[in-house]
Amino acid sequence: MENSPNYLDPRTLASVQGLELRARLIVEGYVAGVHKSPYHGFSIEFAEHREYVPGDDLRHVDWKVFGKTDKFYLKQYEDETNLVCHLLLDTSESMRYQSALAPLSKLEYAKCAAAALAYLILQQQDSVGLATFDREIRALVRPSSHSAHLKQLLHVMEESVPQRKTATGPIFHDLAERLKKRGVVVVLSDLFDNVASLVAGLKHFRHRRHEVIVLQILDPAELEFPFERTTLFKGLEQLPEVLTDPRSLRQAYLAEFEKFLAAVRSGCRNNRIDYVQIRTDQSLDVALSSYLASRMTRMQ
Amino acid sequence: MLGWLAAAAAPLLIHLWNRRRYREMEWAAIEYLLAALRKNARRVQIEQWILLAVRTLVIALVVLALAEPFVERLGLSATGNQRTHKLLVLDASFSMGYKPTDKSRFERAQELAAQIVDEASAGDGFTLVLLANPPRVVVGSPSFEPREFKAEIANQHLLHAGSDLAATLQLVENVLSQTEREHPRLARQEVYFLSDLQRQAWLPAGGAAGQLGQIRQLSKRIADRAALAVIDLGQTDSDNLAVTRFRAAEPLATLDRETTLEAEIHNFGRQPRARQLVELLVGGNRAGETYVDLPAEGSAIVSFPYRFDAGGEHALEILAAGDPLEIDNHRWLALPVKETIRVLCVNGKPAGGSFQQTTDYLTVALAPRSGDAPGGVRPEVITESELAERELAQYDAVFLCNVAQFTGDEARLLEDYLRQGGGLVFFLGDQVQADNYNRQLAGDAGGPRILPARLGERAPQAQYRFDPLEYKHPLVGPFRNQEQAGLLTSLVTDYIRLTPHAGSAQVALAFQNGDPAIVAESLHGGRSLIVATSADTSWTTMPVWPSYVPVVQELLAWCAGARLQERNTLVGQPLAGIATPVGKAAMVRNPRHELLAVEVRDRGALAEWTFAETFTSGVYALEPAGATSPAALYAVNVDTAESDLAPLTAAELRSEVWPGIRFAHQTSWQNLDEHPAAEVTRQNKLHVWLLTAVLGLLFCETFLGWRFGHR
């Protein structure tokens, strides 16, 4: 395992084609890393057996089968899942940005993270749903725990094209009304929007008793602003252009950006929303860990 | 070259070009960039202007540094790194002999001059001019051999002369323009004045405004051609005393009576000097001494009565020693002492009886005590026909009394006599033919002028009295406050009206009606004098009046004094005389005991000798070839105008002498030990300053760029 490629690294992942494969590699890589199987059921009714893999909880080993076949099988239970996860993927134009420092665009990274999460959730027999949005909801897939559901989710993600401006606030209000079943809401976005409106939208989810995890996906260039030459910055999402010497504005830009991030962090903290900032040159396990941590909290 | 200054626009163009050559990039977080820009647009603009200004300045300074020779021509600066003509003006006037320590100012100047040569770059040329009166060009064409040039500097002696700055500057200008013409490769010229900036020399006082104007004009022209530097060797607290005058009170020194030797000692310092020793030396031996108290910036006169015990040439010296400037502590007097004073009296109207001849009263008046003393005045009476046969040179004075007329030969004889320093006294009378006098002696016929006045008609017979004209003339000066001598009560009944010759002729005594009674003039090196009335009692009662003897004695003294005067002169002024056939081969022995040839020039029947190399004060001896006759002594003294050591300050030099002229000035005696040419050379280093500034600006630009980029 040590010599196999690390699929949690976005640079490695960028060489892999197909969202499904990417999702599987991420999750399996993650699992191998933590040496702890996330595949354990929580229902009473038995559904099927599954071969043991190192890291599985020995409590779920079916010793009778072992007695008969001399092989380790785990008992799996079929029951209604008690967890619903709603993945909210921002596909606005700003998510299209990819600097030279990053192997993936923000949207590609978000898709990988979302796909990995979906894969993981379905593997756990939980339900997962998906909504893509920019200034309106572009696609909405109802939560399901069926294993075939993954393909549909991946298809929707692959089809989504970034082209519009974001309007997170109204979208979140709308979704909060439409997501009837209480669960975990995972927002994958750069959150480039009005912070007050954004926070108001997230607050609405909380009001609906959803757990909310905000994964703010940012390009390293957006955090560091490392440019030297005179540049014409062309605004995405129909914002104006700026011709300037980036060196003279770097500190001022970073201050403005930090102010924005601080506002987001503060908004999340005040509403007990999990906030995780992810750089697109960063390992993808951050997304999975944050979800699992949240889930464990919820189960307890 | 300065056209390259346009290159200073390069940063602006690059800035504009860069703004056109930007790269394009999509940017998601544009909203925050816009916010940053909104808040910092003004600051960013100012920073960009500052950077632009610094970069523009860097290029401009680099261009100026490279273009320094051109800048220099515009008069803005001077430059180095090119072959330079260094003209050294060494002040050799005697005030530079001031020796406050073990070295005199002049020796110090020589050292510093050598140091300037040592510090010069290879290929530089050197010339040397001495500031003195008269100035001298020692090295007029640039020398490119520093060693030989330094040897030439070391060979220079302090001259005992004063300073003539205007004449020196004229020579400097000549040398500069000649070098410009003949050595175009010496692209740059520098003039160094190594001087004590003596005020008298550098700022001619009072009425010399014209001379100051000349100095300013010359300096301006020199400054247009060359960079000027003054290396100031003067000190403000320089004390000095000098013997400013030394003379015999009686013009004719004889064996029969004491001669009063008078000297004036002047204290130029600000402190009085008590009990200053003053010594008299005769022939190098001490003959007297006295002590005087000298007030600050004042003088005192000392007198030594002295009786000579032998006739002949005497060299006398007054010495007032004891200050750091030794040269003017001495003064010499060359005094021929006569055993007898020979006077020729030409009697124009011989007669038989006692006191009937025209010259009878005169001879008595000339030698009132001739019977009871050796030496004294010995008059010799001849008739007018004998005049042409006499060798006049052996007489100290010739009195011509009531001579009717003169021939051309006689006139030439008298002219030669004047040229030999002789003295002529004309008394008139009833035989005098005025027309002949005017024609032969007053220059009417184009002949030589011997008389100081033209003769007019005879005045109507009446009683005329004298007007002493306030006793201004030395002839009548002794009669001041001596009314009992009877000069003013003497009666004149007849006289011939005289018209003094315009120019140097002076009326020494007049009649109360304003007509001249005695007219005197220095002519051709001798002295000529005419008395409007007679020497006997035919026209005046004066010969029987008590005033007659002193008047005649004064006439004799004044006339015979010409020979004495020509023996005493100032440094820089030539010695001259009539050369006898033997004298043509004469040599002059100077105070340093060097024998030097005289220059002889024929002038009519006589030959004149001159000797111009009187650069040292002291006694000069004219030694005839073969030592056939004793040497004639000449005293050459310093001009004590130079003795006042008060220096000119740098501010005065800047405002009074060289207004508007750029020059370097160094005053500190100690600092000069380092680099005498430093200040001028520093002017040459403009490019170094410019490039240093460029370096500083480059650091500044880097720092600002970094600072602005991190805000």
Side-chain angles (χ1 to χ4, degrees):
Chain A
M1 268 317 258
E2 280 95 27
N3 294 329
S4 62
N6 177 10
Y7 289 106
L8 293 170
D9 185 350
R11 274 174 284 278
T12 316
L13 206 59
S15 61
V16 176
Q17 292 296 317
L19 201 49
E20 184 177 356
L21 184 56
R22 281 180 178 182
R24 195 160 58 79
L25 288 170
I26 293 164
V27 174
E28 286 175 359
Y30 176 71
V31 170
V34 297
H35 292 281
K36 184 181 178 188
S37 173
Y39 307 138
H40 47 86
F42 302 94
S43 300
I44 302 160
E45 290 179 30
F46 172 78
E48 58 184 345
H49 282 101
R50 173 171 73 76
E51 203 167 355
Y52 171 82
V53 292
D56 283 345
D57 193 341
L58 289 175
R59 286 181 298 174
H60 300 297
V61 172
D62 191 333
W63 299 107
K64 289 179 182 169
V65 174
F66 175 72
K68 291 175 188 169
T69 64
D70 216 13
K71 287 180 181 171
F72 292 103
Y73 280 92
L74 299 187
K75 285 191 277 187
Q76 289 194 311
Y77 304 90
E78 177 123 28
D79 191 18
E80 279 187 40
T81 176
N82 57 357
L83 188 94
V84 175
C85 179
H86 306 283
L87 300 173
L88 309 186
L89 178 63
D90 181 358
T91 61
S92 67
E93 202 179 3
S94 68
M95 292 293 284
R96 183 157 60 86
Y97 180 71
Q98 177 188 356
S99 73
L101 303 175
L104 299 169
S105 73
K106 289 190 284 184
L107 183 58
E108 285 172 318
Y109 191 97
K111 282 179 181 175
C112 289
L117 279 171
Y119 183 78
L120 180 67
I121 291 163
L122 289 173
Q123 287 291 324
Q124 289 177 313
Q125 312 303 318
D126 289 338
S127 298
V128 60
L130 174 70
T132 62
F133 64 93
D134 39 49
R135 66 181 179 193
E136 53 194 62
I137 297 166
R138 291 288 159 195
L140 181 61
V141 183
R142 295 280 169 197
S144 166
S145 59
H146 202 276
S147 56
H149 184 56
L150 182 64
K151 282 201 184 303
Q152 191 187 354
L153 295 178
L154 296 179
H155 176 72
V156 168
M157 281 192 257
E158 276 170 349
E159 290 296 304
S160 60
V161 179
Q163 54 190 355
R164 298 287 172 83
K165 194 171 159 49
T166 328
T168 49
I171 296 292
F172 289 170
H173 285 299
D174 188 6
L175 285 168
E177 290 298 324
R178 289 162 75 169
L179 303 178
K180 299 291 184 191
K181 195 161 186 181
R182 201 153 58 81
V184 178
V185 174
V186 180
V187 178
L188 298 109
S189 169
D190 55 12
L191 307 178
F192 287 174
D193 198 2
N194 182 288
V195 177
S197 163
L198 165 77
V199 172
L202 294 171
K203 200 170 171 182
H204 198 163
F205 287 121
R206 290 294 294 149
H207 183 70
R208 288 292 193 163
R209 315 201 115 205
H210 291 290
E211 286 293 322
V212 181
I213 302 170
V214 172
L215 301 179
Q216 187 179 24
I217 296 163
L218 295 170
D219 192 279
E222 289 168 338
L223 289 161
E224 294 168 5
F225 204 62
F227 311 111
E228 297 286 327
R229 283 176 50 197
T230 305
T231 307
L232 178 67
F233 292 97
K234 300 170 89 169
L236 298 172
E237 303 190 1
Q238 292 149 27
L239 283 165
E241 301 174 338
V242 177
L243 177 64
T244 188
D245 175 11
R247 284 172 300 184
S248 62
L249 274 180
R250 182 169 183 271
Q251 294 299 320
Y253 162 81
L254 292 179
E256 285 294 320
F257 200 66
E258 180 53 36
K259 203 164 84 181
F260 155 70
L261 295 178
V264 172
R265 276 196 298 270
S266 153
C268 292
R269 189 168 58 247
N270 294 342
N271 294 289
R272 291 190 293 140
I273 294 166
D274 289 342
Y275 168 84
V276 181
Q277 187 190 88
I278 305 174
R279 293 160 58 113
T280 54
D281 58 350
Q282 211 173 0
S283 172
L284 278 136
D285 56 356
V286 180
L288 302 183
S289 302
S290 52
Y291 165 73
L292 290 174
S294 167
R295 187 179 181 282
M296 290 300 290
T297 312
R298 189 177 172 78
M299 297 319 299
Q300 288 160 10
Chain B
M1 191 69 194
L2 289 176
W4 283 97
L5 273 179
L12 184 64
L13 296 174
I14 291 169
H15 176 76
L16 295 174
W17 174 250
N18 268 341
R19 285 189 72 86
R20 292 180 63 84
R21 273 188 66 250
Y22 54 83
R23 66 169 184 169
E24 292 185 8
M25 188 166 94
E26 289 189 328
W27 185 246
I30 195 80
E31 201 176 323
Y32 313 104
L33 192 57
L34 281 169
L37 190 62
R38 267 196 303 277
K39 291 179 185 169
N40 293 278
R42 180 129 188 93
R43 175 183 65 77
V44 169
Q45 198 172 26
I46 289 171
E47 287 173 356
Q48 284 188 338
W49 276 114
I50 291 172
L51 277 178
L52 195 63
V54 169
R55 289 164 185 167
T56 305
L57 202 56
V58 165
I59 293 183
L61 290 182
V62 167
V63 171
L64 280 178
L66 294 174
E68 197 174 5
F70 299 86
V71 177
E72 183 204 5
R73 280 182 204 171
L74 293 174
L76 300 174
S77 166
T79 184
N81 301 333
Q82 50 183 317
R83 293 182 65 181
T84 304
H85 167 217
K86 289 178 188 283
L87 194 163
L88 273 56
V89 181
L90 193 60
D91 189 346
S93 64
F94 78 75
S95 63
M96 291 288 283
Y98 190 78
K99 199 170 181 179
T101 57
D102 58 330
K103 278 180 189 154
S104 69
R105 291 174 177 173
F106 187 73
E107 288 164 334
R108 192 86 184 104
Q110 283 177 304
E111 281 181 3
L112 293 169
Q115 212 170 321
I116 291 171
V117 175
D118 285 337
E119 287 177 6
S121 309
D124 286 354
F126 308 97
T127 51
L128 181 63
V129 171
L130 295 186
L131 166 56
N133 184 16
R136 285 165 64 191
V137 177
V138 181
V139 180
S141 185
S143 159
F144 297 95
E145 298 292 338
R147 185 175 298 187
E148 289 174 14
F149 186 75
K150 282 198 302 186
E152 195 64 57
I153 291 172
N155 281 340
Q156 297 310 308
H157 297 289
L158 182 71
L159 305 178
H160 291 200
S163 320
D164 186 344
L165 184 60
T168 309
L169 292 175
Q170 185 62 59
L171 289 186
V172 167
E173 190 189 19
N174 294 348
V175 172
L176 288 177
S177 53
Q178 187 186 337
T179 306
E180 250 176 27
R181 271 197 317 275
E182 296 174 4
H183 298 272
R185 294 181 66 188
L186 293 171
R188 175 174 162 70
Q189 306 209 77
E190 291 171 358
V191 181
Y192 295 84
F193 291 89
L194 297 112
S195 170
D196 57 2
L197 290 187
Q198 198 226 6
R199 175 179 288 274
Q200 292 271 12
W202 284 76
L203 187 61
Q211 200 183 350
L212 183 59
Q214 198 185 354
I215 288 172
R216 285 181 180 164
Q217 280 179 4
L218 283 162
S219 305
K220 184 89 185 69
R221 293 209 294 268
I222 290 169
D224 287 343
R225 288 199 155 115
L228 304 188
V230 172
I231 296 174
D232 185 353
L233 297 156
Q235 291 98 9
T236 49
D237 54 346
S238 313
D239 268 0
N240 185 34
L241 65 84
V243 183
T244 49
R245 198 155 53 87
F246 183 28
R247 67 172 195 127
E250 297 83 17
L252 296 173
T254 55
L255 292 178
D256 65 327
R257 59 184 174 184
E258 277 188 340
T259 302
T260 308
L261 301 166
E262 273 181 12
E264 184 184 51
I265 320 295
H266 191 95
N267 177 16
F268 290 93
R270 291 181 188 164
Q271 300 297 324
R273 294 175 80 101
R275 286 188 62 75
Q276 169 66 44
L277 174 65
V278 181
E279 295 169 272
L280 168 70
L281 289 87
V282 178
N285 301 314
R286 192 155 73 172
E289 64 174 39
T290 186
Y291 290 91
V292 288
D293 293 332
L294 292 166
E297 297 180 350
S299 54
I301 291 176
V302 293
S303 298
F304 292 96
Y306 188 79
R307 185 188 282 268
F308 291 96
D309 52 11
E313 301 283 332
H314 282 80
L316 312 175
E317 180 184 351
I318 283 287
L319 174 61
D323 68 358
L325 181 55
E326 200 265 338
I327 291 171
D328 59 4
N329 294 344
H330 307 258
R331 205 161 185 89
W332 287 269
L333 180 67
L335 191 64
V337 177
K338 301 281 186 181
E339 288 180 17
T340 52
I341 297 170
R342 297 186 65 187
V343 179
L344 185 65
C345 300
V346 182
N347 183 3
K349 191 180 180 184
S354 177
F355 287 95
Q356 294 297 304
Q357 298 200 62
T358 309
T359 53
D360 283 351
Y361 289 96
L362 181 66
T363 51
V364 171
L366 283 169
R369 298 179 300 164
S370 59
D372 47 74
V377 181
R378 186 183 295 173
E380 192 177 333
V381 181
I382 59 166
T383 60
E384 59 181 90
S385 58
E386 293 172 279
L387 178 62
E389 298 162 10
R390 293 294 170 126
E391 191 187 334
L392 298 186
Q394 60 186 312
Y395 296 101
D396 295 295
V398 177
F399 282 66
L400 300 124
C401 307
N402 202 7
V403 176
Q405 58 183 343
F406 293 92
T407 64
D409 287 343
E410 286 167 339
R412 273 189 293 281
L413 200 66
L414 294 177
E415 186 202 354
D416 288 347
Y417 179 60
L418 283 179
R419 289 193 188 284
Q420 289 165 314
L424 294 175
V425 180
F426 293 87
F427 276 96
L428 303 182
D430 55 353
Q431 298 209 113
V432 167
Q433 296 177 18
D435 290 346
N436 172 269
Y437 270 59
N438 289 338
R439 197 171 55 251
Q440 297 292 0
L441 306 179
D444 277 10
R449 194 166 70 79
I450 293 161
L451 283 176
R454 290 187 81 257
L455 274 59
E457 78 282 11
R458 189 167 162 178
Q461 201 167 44
Q463 292 193 341
Y464 301 101
R465 290 183 193 277
F466 291 121
D467 172 4
L469 301 176
E470 300 177 353
Y471 304 100
K472 283 180 182 167
H473 197 276
L475 266 176
V476 293
F479 290 94
R480 187 190 295 271
N481 302 325
Q482 303 287 337
E483 283 76 15
Q484 71 274 21
L487 178 68
L488 302 185
T489 52
S490 303
L491 276 179
V492 175
T493 53
D494 295 272
Y495 70 92
I496 292 177
R497 291 210 164 96
L498 301 176
T499 310
H501 190 269
S504 59
Q506 290 179 318
V507 177
L509 187 68
F511 295 109
Q512 285 179 342
N513 63 7
D515 285 344
I518 299 177
V519 181
E521 186 176 10
S522 294
L523 269 173
H524 312 302
R527 285 176 179 176
S528 178
L529 185 150
I530 185 165
V531 183
T533 188
S534 66
D536 58 15
T537 53
S538 59
W539 281 11
T540 173
T541 62
M542 194 169 62
V544 294
W545 237 246
S547 61
Y548 191 61
V549 172
V551 165
V552 168
Q553 289 290 331
E554 287 303 322
L555 294 180
L556 170 63
W558 189 80
C559 283
R563 284 186 174 163
L564 189 62
Q565 192 183 40
E566 73 180 15
R567 295 297 189 89
N568 293 281
T569 184
L570 295 178
V571 169
Q573 293 179 0
L575 305 178
I578 296 298
T580 59
V582 177
K584 282 186 179 180
M587 303 283 274
V588 167
R589 186 182 294 276
N590 70 13
R592 288 207 288 268
H593 304 290
E594 297 161 337
L595 267 178
L596 303 164
V598 298
E599 188 184 332
V600 179
R601 194 170 42 191
D602 286 327
R603 187 188 285 270
L606 294 173
E608 269 185 11
W609 65 268
T610 52
F611 179 77
E613 296 170 60
T614 53
F615 301 124
T616 309
S617 61
V619 176
Y620 287 70
L622 177 73
E623 298 184 352
T628 50
S629 56
L633 300 183
Y634 292 81
V636 174
N637 288 304
V638 295
D639 179 357
T640 49
E642 186 77 15
S643 295
D644 186 354
L645 299 181
L648 202 64
T649 64
E652 287 171 322
L653 180 60
R654 208 174 293 280
S655 61
E656 303 289 332
V657 187
W658 285 350
I661 293 175
R662 193 160 169 262
F663 64 95
H665 177 259
Q666 290 182 312
T667 50
S668 166
W669 183 274
Q670 284 78 20
N671 289 350
L672 290 179
D673 285 328
E674 298 299 325
H675 303 289
E679 202 162 335
V680 176
T681 313
R682 190 160 67 240
Q683 291 178 20
N684 301 351
K685 302 291 183 189
L686 178 65
H687 65 287
V688 174
W689 289 106
L690 290 172
L691 291 176
T692 308
V694 167
L695 196 63
L697 284 173
L698 285 174
F699 278 119
C700 184
E701 196 270 349
T702 309
F703 172 75
L704 289 176
W706 171 81
R707 186 86 185 83
F708 295 162
H710 287 77
R711 294 180 63 171

